[in-house]
Amino acid sequence: MPETEPLALTLPIRRLVEFLLRSGSIDSRFTGFDRANEGARLHRKLQRAAVKEYPDYEAEAALRQEFGCEGITYTLEGRADGLFTDRDGMRTIDEIKTTTLPPEFITGEQSPEHWAQAQCYAAIYALQNDLPAMRVRLTYYQVDEELEFNFTHDYTAEALQDIVQGLLTQYAPWARRAAAWQRDRRASLQALTFPFAGYRPGQRAMIGAVYKTCREGGQLLCQAPTGIGKTMSVLFPALKALEDGGPVFYLTARGTTRAAAENAVAVLHDHDTSLKLRSVTLTAKDKICLQDRRECTPEACPYANGYFDRVKTALWDGLDTPTLTADALRELARRHRVCPFELGLDLSLWCDVVIGDYNYLFDPVVHLARFFESRGDYLFLVDEAHNLPGRARDMHSASLCKSAFFDARKRLGKGKSSLKTALTKADKV
């Protein structure tokens, strides 16, 4: 391939700016158990309020645009939280963020990636609508105090284009590596042959059915006897059908079946030592933690402290490892002093096969939002699907324990408060 031939890459805007600009530490105190769902609910609340104030307010405005930079064609895409005309007639992008930071620390300058995300949206809208300038509004909602903070900046269309080009220039080494890998992976998988001398009874028919479904779309439910080689019978045709899409998600209910998927990937690498295929196994946070006691705060964990300042070096190193098992992630994390769990999640964006538990797709709280917040051409292989109904009931069912109300009221100590009164009423129901 000539050096001058451009490489192409589709990239969610949020992923781009967080990758380049996010800094500091992992801190579980600022990420609640149901933060994603709560954040979405508060977004909708603020968007409904904005519609009353600005009649043309458009929530979740989809934006997509091609940009060229250093021989790479980027397709940037995303959804602006809001798009409206301000009172002075200026078209405005509204970017909404929820936060648990104390109000005195909310200055509008604490997270440059938030501004950059909105600036990219504004650049695309100004370009597509031939506007000379745009306004960006950053809306922070403080969850605990229920306070709203608004910060605005006006930009010329030229300044916005310069911001986007600057981000893409920073990302260029990563884009070249990702686009070149995708190109080489496509050729490698096209040349990949079945890793065994022959097929077991029924295996070839299963492979054909899986390949047809992956290529044409839809769902396929397979029931096959033990010993047919089900793991390879679904993974091999899924990879052959992958082309420029991906990743392939191999989702399981048990650790033993995750091991079977890892073994199948290893067989493919042994069969073709030149195979361009990168896989990662996502392991539960408690099981992969490098500390004796898991506490995800910068004060307690050296792997959480400064994580975002070191993770790009770890990622660049990790991309040289074709099979990122739990052991490989731990070794990589120790070497670069980063959290192995978060590193596995970050590396999953660069992998062709993601092996993990059902909850990474189906659980509304812990599913992989980094993949599913934007469009994607993904393939899902759900192992032992008969386990899914029971797991789904657990994932989607909520429960309350009366003792929790009693305990919360006790922790508030002596004295009266509206919260203690409410907890008492709830405990007596």
Side-chain angles (χ1 to χ4, degrees):
M1 170 178 274
E3 287 293 325
T4 56
E5 184 174 338
L7 297 171
L9 192 68
T10 297
L11 196 60
I13 291 168
R14 181 174 175 177
R15 186 186 302 176
L16 169 70
V17 299
E18 287 188 348
F19 180 83
L20 291 176
L21 302 177
R22 198 172 184 182
S23 61
S25 305
I26 298 169
D27 197 334
S28 60
R29 293 170 297 190
F30 299 130
T31 54
F33 176 70
D34 202 11
R35 181 74 182 275
N37 282 346
E38 179 67 5
R41 184 188 69 82
L42 291 172
H43 271 59
R44 292 191 294 270
K45 174 184 174 181
L46 295 174
Q47 288 165 337
R48 287 193 297 268
V51 170
K52 296 178 181 178
E53 189 173 359
Y54 304 98
D56 70 340
Y57 191 97
E58 180 186 351
E60 305 300 326
L63 296 164
R64 181 181 173 93
Q65 179 65 40
E66 282 191 2
F67 293 90
C69 182
E70 298 196 7
I72 304 165
T73 300
Y74 294 89
T75 300
L76 297 186
E77 60 183 14
R79 288 183 177 273
D81 292 323
L83 174 64
F84 66 97
T85 304
D86 213 339
R87 292 180 180 83
D88 61 357
M90 180 75 81
R91 291 295 279 169
T92 303
I93 290 289
D94 190 20
E95 186 61 28
I96 301 170
K97 300 295 182 184
T98 56
T99 181
T100 55
L101 280 175
E104 60 269 24
F105 291 107
I106 301 175
T107 64
E109 303 301 329
Q110 69 272 11
S111 299
E113 68 270 21
H114 296 167
W115 283 111
Q117 187 177 350
Q119 289 161 351
C120 289
Y121 296 146
I124 292 173
Y125 189 83
L127 180 64
Q128 293 178 346
N129 293 274
D130 198 24
L131 296 177
M134 288 283 293
R135 178 169 295 153
V136 168
R137 184 174 84 171
L138 194 54
T139 299
Y140 282 107
Y141 187 84
Q142 211 287 341
V143 177
D144 299 323
E145 301 289 336
E146 298 185 352
L147 297 174
E148 183 178 335
F149 299 82
N150 297 118
F151 306 94
T152 61
H153 284 304
D154 292 350
Y155 302 91
T156 65
E158 183 180 359
L160 290 168
Q161 293 300 314
D162 287 344
I163 290 170
V164 173
Q165 288 296 321
L167 292 169
L168 297 182
T169 300
Q170 286 185 63
Y171 196 76
W174 296 88
R176 287 194 194 93
R177 191 165 187 181
W181 176 268
Q182 188 178 72
R183 178 197 64 203
D184 295 343
R185 183 198 70 181
R186 186 193 319 121
S188 181
L189 290 177
Q190 286 174 352
L192 181 66
T193 59
F194 192 63
F196 302 112
Y199 297 96
R200 295 176 182 178
Q203 193 174 31
R204 189 162 193 165
M206 185 173 174
I207 289 172
V210 172
Y211 179 80
K212 185 173 186 292
T213 303
C214 291
R215 291 287 292 166
E216 299 178 2
Q219 296 83 38
L220 175 68
L221 182 62
C222 296
Q223 182 177 356
T226 301
I228 194 177
K230 293 188 289 293
T231 303
M232 189 63 75
S233 297
V234 295
L235 185 59
F236 174 74
L239 292 173
K240 293 292 287 183
L242 194 57
E243 295 193 338
D244 290 334
V248 173
F249 290 88
Y250 194 100
L251 303 161
T252 74
R254 297 180 294 119
T256 53
T257 46
R258 283 193 286 280
E262 289 180 336
N263 291 337
V265 171
V267 167
L268 292 173
H269 279 289
D270 290 341
H271 173 67
D272 183 352
T273 55
S274 64
L275 179 63
K276 299 295 185 183
L277 185 71
R278 190 183 295 125
S279 66
V280 63
T281 302
L282 301 180
T283 306
K285 192 179 294 186
D286 286 328
K287 292 183 179 179
I288 202 172
C289 182
L290 297 174
Q291 297 285 85
D292 293 333
R293 177 176 175 271
R294 182 173 69 81
E295 185 178 343
C296 305
T297 64
E299 296 84 4
C301 179
Y303 304 101
N305 186 25
Y307 173 85
F308 296 108
D309 301 324
R310 296 187 299 273
V311 68
K312 285 196 279 292
T313 305
L315 285 171
W316 192 267
D317 187 8
L319 295 182
D320 291 326
T321 304
T323 51
L324 292 156
T325 61
D327 288 341
L329 287 171
R330 288 191 193 95
E331 180 183 346
L332 190 63
R334 284 193 184 95
R335 189 157 65 241
H336 294 279
R337 205 157 52 87
V338 293
C339 169
F341 176 76
E342 292 293 336
L343 179 61
L345 294 179
D346 287 334
L347 278 166
S348 69
L349 295 170
W350 302 81
C351 288
D352 313 303
V353 179
V354 178
I355 302 168
D357 190 86
Y358 290 161
N359 59 18
Y360 291 113
L361 173 62
F362 297 107
D363 194 304
V365 175
V366 300
H367 74 281
L368 294 173
R370 64 190 66 206
F371 284 101
F372 309 134
E373 66 186 6
S374 60
R375 295 183 302 175
D377 186 13
Y378 308 128
L379 297 175
F380 302 106
L381 308 178
V382 182
D383 190 41
E384 296 185 333
H386 58 274
N387 291 310
L388 196 53
R391 288 289 300 276
R393 281 191 292 271
D394 293 337
M395 293 173 187
H396 294 272
S397 299
S399 62
L400 286 173
C401 182
K402 286 191 68 175
S403 61
F405 292 97
F406 177 80
D407 183 58
R409 187 184 63 197
K410 186 177 179 181
R411 287 173 181 268
L412 290 173
K414 297 180 180 180
K416 295 182 179 180
S417 71
S418 58
L419 178 56
K420 287 185 72 173
T421 301
L423 288 169
T424 300
K425 288 180 179 178
D427 188 34
K428 291 181 178 178
V429 171

